[in-house]
Amino acid sequence: MNAIKSKRNKNRAHTRLKPKNGGQSRRPKRQSSIVDSDLLIKRATNKEEVIYEAHRSFDDMPIDSRLKRNLAKKGFVKPSQIQDESLDLLKSGRNFIGIANTGTGKTAAFLIPIIERLLRQREQQTALVVVPTRELALQVEKEFISLTTGLGLYASSYIGGTSVNKDIGKLKRKSHVIIGTPGRLIDLINQKALRLNRTPILVLDEFDRMLDMGFVRDIKRIVEGMTSRRQTMLFSATIDKSQKDLIKTLVKNPVEIKVNSGTSSSDKVDQDIIKVPTGANKFKMMTDLISGAGFDKVLVFAETKRWVDRVTKKLNQAGITADQIHGNKSQNYRNNALAKFKKGSVQVLVATDVAARGIDVTGITHVINYQLPMSLDSYIHRIGRTGRAGKTGKAFTFVD
Ligand code: AMP
């Protein structure tokens, strides 16, 4: 029975996964810039993670007692490095560049000084936070809500894939912090629903990612509209030489703090490639892999929305619980899928790069690249989803 079932599945896998053009490859059309797959083989280093130990706790910091209470409720006792080193500068209104990855506490690093200012002088639309993806927007909003419990401060987020009309209505309500993805913000600006000419603080989060995603023009337009801008905070995992000129025009006379090399997360990840022999059933190779011991929470990346869809269906057919997130899924669907993955009610989450950006799920045991990522940068971001919180993660990349 099992043999029959698996044979049937195998056949299905074959018909479904075969590209229409009957072509030579199951790879996406765009070619990856990773030519040396040896770069994707690496053992996690056993060296002790250098954990930054702040000399002060939030209690000792110049923070309003009401905000301190909320920090304590969240279980935040000591600041992370970026929070420790930036708070005084940001409170004094300095422009700021933070070179920091997700996981460093950068969100609270920019939210705390914004909330501090709001507690001193409550003004509408004090800050605009621009982020590359919907998931990150919702995470920033969530962090803001928990930091401001009971303080009468409000944030609202504006992201693609939701109703623009609802957003226009939402903008009429009180909001101290506006969070959004560039495309939707531009839509709202074009419709004259969002005005930024009185907003003093701008945060550009995951700036490198926004550039990767082609948001340069949108960002410039957003910034142009902020005619009363007094403070700019820019966060990026890496800063490329080629981006320096652009950054100079956006952030004048900044202090720069670097807390992460941008590659350190990969030091905690065992990385290996899986070569797919010609004619082999790659999908079957992956299900065999995931069926092995220890594959408790697996994030699988595929290059396109269609591939994500197919891989998810095939995994479920093979008896492995899986859900998916990609740009064609509604926000509700994506939130749900993410929640199921977090809870462990599905073993696998299949995602595109863009959709997975910013998701913060603890305990991901494995990251699997079903296809070669387009660039090393995207590879590093992906595998950084595992190997967190002092644990060693594992990453496998299929190489055709
Ligand atoms: P981020 O880098 O902003 O995405 O934050 C990563 C995670 O660390 C989030 O879950 C935060 O809520 C959490 N976090 C941020 N700052 C602290 C802190 N000082 N102490 C404990 N957890 C923190």
Side-chain angles (χ1 to χ4, degrees):
M1 173 67 191
N2 267 351
I4 295 170
K5 196 172 161 200
S6 74
K7 193 168 173 211
R8 200 175 57 205
N9 281 340
K10 195 172 161 188
N11 286 340
R12 242 191 245 150
H14 202 68
T15 32
R16 287 266 181 89
L17 295 177
K18 201 168 174 178
K20 266 200 186 131
N21 58 9
Q24 23 123 291
S25 131
R26 293 170 180 176
R27 267 176 255 146
K29 283 184 207 121
R30 282 196 305 143
Q31 276 293 322
S32 171
S33 62
I34 305 172
V35 281
D36 181 4
S37 55
D38 282 353
L39 291 171
L40 316 182
I41 306 171
K42 197 174 158 194
R43 291 219 50 91
T45 53
N46 282 329
K47 72 172 179 241
E48 278 286 299
E49 197 187 339
V50 184
I51 296 172
Y52 178 82
E53 184 70 30
H55 293 298
R56 52 182 181 172
S57 65
F58 282 116
D59 261 344
D60 310 320
M61 292 170 82
I63 295 176
D64 189 289
S65 59
R66 292 166 288 175
L67 178 50
K68 278 184 183 167
R69 222 174 297 140
N70 285 340
L71 285 162
K73 259 194 239 154
K74 274 175 75 70
F76 290 15
V77 179
K78 285 193 160 193
S80 69
Q81 184 178 0
I82 187 103
Q83 293 160 2
D84 196 16
E85 292 180 359
S86 68
L87 182 78
D88 301 275
L89 294 160
L90 290 175
K91 273 191 74 177
S92 74
R94 284 295 299 267
N95 283 340
F96 182 82
I97 294 178
I99 303 177
N101 281 320
T102 308
T104 54
K106 65 185 168 61
T107 315
F110 64 75
L111 287 179
I112 291 171
I114 291 173
I115 295 166
E116 275 291 298
R117 178 182 162 121
L118 280 164
L119 288 173
R120 283 197 310 272
Q121 53 181 119
R122 208 157 279 230
E123 63 207 332
Q124 275 287 330
Q125 251 178 250
T126 283
L128 171 72
V129 181
V130 190
V131 298
T133 62
R134 308 164 189 191
E135 276 73 21
L136 191 58
L138 296 178
Q139 268 178 41
V140 173
E141 188 180 8
K142 213 169 125 203
E143 187 98 325
F144 181 88
I145 290 171
S146 62
L147 287 172
T148 56
T149 312
L151 302 184
L153 295 173
Y154 303 97
S156 49
S157 58
Y158 302 90
I159 54 187
T162 60
S163 146
V164 183
N165 283 337
K166 261 199 194 149
D167 275 357
I168 293 174
K170 207 156 82 175
L171 275 168
K172 294 192 179 118
R173 296 207 299 265
K174 185 153 76 176
S175 195
H176 300 100
V177 175
I178 303 278
I179 304 155
T181 49
R184 176 53 58 99
L185 292 172
I186 289 288
D187 280 351
L188 294 166
I189 291 170
N190 285 343
Q191 304 219 27
K192 301 213 175 349
L194 175 64
R195 286 170 211 278
L196 295 167
N197 56 330
R198 295 174 67 181
T199 302
I201 301 178
L202 169 67
V203 178
L204 297 167
D205 195 12
E206 304 205 348
F207 185 70
D208 50 346
R209 208 61 191 174
M210 293 205 276
L211 296 189
D212 276 357
M213 290 167 71
F215 286 137
V216 181
R217 279 185 51 200
D218 289 351
I219 291 170
K220 283 185 181 163
R221 263 210 63 206
I222 291 167
V223 171
E224 261 167 33
M226 294 184 70
T227 45
S228 308
R229 183 165 54 114
R230 293 283 169 271
Q231 186 178 26
T232 304
M233 315 176 195
L234 182 148
F235 292 83
S236 203
T238 50
I239 288 190
D240 227 71
K241 271 197 200 114
S242 64
Q243 298 159 4
K244 286 219 157 111
D245 286 342
L246 170 64
I247 290 177
K248 256 191 215 155
T249 65
L250 295 172
V251 199
K252 297 266 159 35
N253 190 26
V255 260
E256 186 173 311
I257 288 180
K258 183 175 178 171
V259 296
N260 218 318
S261 68
T263 53
S264 64
S265 60
S266 66
D267 292 342
K268 286 176 281 157
V269 184
D270 265 333
Q271 304 161 53
D272 211 346
I273 58 169
I274 299 175
K275 290 209 166 116
V276 185
T278 325
N281 185 336
K282 180 170 158 185
F283 181 75
K284 171 87 171 40
M285 289 171 74
M286 183 164 76
T287 47
D288 287 349
L289 182 72
I290 296 179
S291 306
F295 282 72
D296 299 329
K297 222 183 210 19
V298 184
L299 183 59
V300 173
F301 285 97
E303 286 307 304
T304 63
K305 297 166 195 167
R306 273 180 63 201
W307 275 105
V308 168
D309 208 48
R310 285 181 197 184
V311 168
T312 312
K313 280 191 186 133
K314 297 302 302 171
L315 283 170
N316 280 303
Q317 282 165 7
I320 294 173
T321 54
D323 212 329
Q324 54 179 316
I325 51 173
H326 62 66
N328 283 358
K329 292 282 174 199
S330 72
Q331 194 55 45
N332 256 348
Y333 187 98
R334 288 157 64 160
N335 293 347
N336 241 327
L338 203 56
K340 281 197 273 178
F341 185 54
K342 275 189 182 171
K343 252 192 347 220
S345 54
V346 292
Q347 183 187 355
V348 181
L349 185 70
V350 191
T352 53
D353 253 342
V354 171
R357 182 69 186 156
I359 64 170
D360 182 20
V361 177
T362 46
I364 292 178
T365 53
H366 294 81
V367 169
I368 296 177
N369 295 306
Y370 190 68
Q371 288 134 338
L372 206 56
M374 284 300 137
S375 66
L376 205 53
D377 179 52
S378 122
Y379 175 78
I380 301 271
H381 274 112
R382 289 180 183 189
I383 67 166
R385 309 276 135 208
T386 178
R388 286 179 164 198
K391 290 193 187 134
T392 302
K394 289 198 168 60
F396 292 103
T397 302
F398 283 93
V399 179
D400 292 307

